Amino acid sequence: MTADELRALQTPLKEKYRTDPASAMQTLRVEGQLDLDQVTCIVKSVRGPIEAGLHPAAGGPGTFACSGDMLLEALVGCAGVTLSAVSTAMGIALRGGTLWAEGDLDFRGTLGVSKEADIGFKEIRLFIDVDTDASSEQIETLIKLTKRYCVIYQTLQKVPSMTTAWTRQ
């Protein structure tokens, strides 16, 4: 995609959101169904169902998607799409690239072995390897803007408020 093609797609949206800021607020929704026989949750996605289960370090068989992996996958996917869009908008030619993320979890927390062990990722690292002739300064700007505009990166940085509601079937 060229910068002009990307601009043509995004310009009408940007104009709409400037004139009607409320239209920019969208609610994303994901649904899952419990499978109690396997201790899994079948997450409905646009790519088909994803069966999420326990990580092997928490007693799972290793054959289901792990929620921690899914979080890292979301980060890599979002950062990759954002990097591509930003490089296109900046006119930085990329021949390719690889992104990966890794995070450290202490499974004592989620298994209730230690109240002192945090539940959740203690640290997440995002790595970006780009194949380009761009200058170091251009790449630094590209990475800075990728981090600024990546929804998942910013969500992990800022931690949104969360609520939980329940109903009885």
Side-chain angles (χ1 to χ4, degrees):
M1 179 177 291
T2 67
D4 288 338
E5 291 168 332
L6 180 60
R7 207 169 288 111
L9 291 171
Q10 292 183 339
T11 296
L13 293 169
K14 289 180 178 184
E15 289 173 7
K16 177 183 176 185
Y17 300 155
R18 281 187 191 102
T19 59
D20 181 12
S23 69
M25 183 59 72
Q26 303 281 322
T27 299
L28 307 183
R29 185 174 192 272
V30 175
E31 184 177 318
Q33 187 72 40
L34 297 179
D35 181 346
L36 302 176
D37 293 333
Q38 299 189 83
V39 190
T40 62
C41 180
I42 299 155
V43 180
K44 298 176 183 176
S45 86
V46 296
R47 295 186 35 125
I50 301 168
E51 197 164 11
L54 293 172
H55 187 277
T63 56
F64 303 115
C66 163
S67 301
D69 290 335
M70 292 168 71
L71 178 70
L72 297 177
E73 290 164 357
L75 174 60
V76 167
C78 187
V81 169
T82 305
L83 178 89
S84 293
V86 171
S87 68
T88 299
M90 290 179 65
I92 295 176
L94 298 178
R95 288 182 292 276
T98 304
L99 293 87
W100 66 97
E102 55 187 35
D104 302 322
L105 284 169
D106 184 342
F107 281 88
R108 295 176 304 159
T110 193
L111 289 175
V113 172
S114 170
K115 290 183 180 182
E116 287 76 42
D118 288 334
I119 299 171
F121 285 100
K122 184 161 184 72
E123 182 179 343
I124 295 175
R125 295 169 295 281
L126 176 64
F127 300 91
I128 302 171
D129 181 18
V130 292
D131 183 4
T132 183
D133 291 327
S135 69
S136 294
E137 183 178 277
Q138 288 174 306
I139 294 170
E140 286 177 16
T141 300
L142 174 63
I143 301 304
K144 176 182 170 187
L145 293 175
T146 295
K147 290 172 17 179
R148 178 185 301 161
Y149 296 117
C150 175
V151 170
I152 304 301
Y153 191 96
Q154 287 300 316
T155 300
L156 291 169
Q157 286 281 299
K158 295 179 181 171
V159 187
S161 64
M162 290 187 62
T163 60
T164 302
W166 65 272
T167 59
R168 187 182 316 253
Q169 294 181 345

